Amino acid sequence: QVQLVESGGGSVQAGGSLRLSCAVSGFTYATYCMAWFRQALGKEREGVAGIDSDGSISYADSAKGRFTISKDNAKNTLYLQMNSLKPEDTAMYYCAAGEGGYCSLGAGGMNYWGKGTHVTISS
């Protein structure tokens, strides 16, 4: 069965860094978009970063220059390195997989979701 399990969330001061991990099982990356989403309290879920099936990477404007998405195929793990964190980055972060080959960073295109890991950035 498909499983996505996030880890690495926590609390950090503004300007600090965190590295989120998503352990995946039950499928391969071959034809999937792999992506990170986040949802802050009282706000809609938004796409943060994604890797297409061909390896192409996309970022939300809010993430460019600060976040880096990557994957380790040997470990079946997706990562999100987050640097220069800001209070507005505070949210629940979700790992997601889409059967379509290209990531639009739209939640509707995702078929599988993790349960999330929370990130809190203090001023």
Side-chain angles (χ1 to χ4, degrees), residues 39-120:
Q39 187 168 20
L41 185 64
K43 297 184 179 180
E44 295 185 352
R45 189 169 299 187
E46 62 176 341
V48 177
I51 301 178
D52 295 341
S53 60
D54 66 357
S56 297
I57 295 173
S58 60
Y59 294 99
D61 288 341
S62 61
K64 288 184 176 180
R66 300 188 300 125
F67 294 3
T68 302
I69 188 171
S70 63
K71 60 182 181 180
D72 186 332
N73 292 334
K75 296 182 178 180
N76 260 3
T77 302
L78 182 74
Y79 301 99
L80 184 67
Q81 178 67 47
M82 304 187 293
N83 299 324
S84 301
L85 286 162
K86 305 174 181 179
E88 52 261 44
D89 294 318
T90 295
M92 183 73 75
Y93 283 72
Y94 298 90
C95 177
E99 293 179 348
Y102 292 91
C103 297
S104 66
L105 298 185
M110 301 295 106
N111 301 99
Y112 306 106
W113 294 87
K115 294 182 179 180
T117 184
H118 194 72
V119 170
T120 299

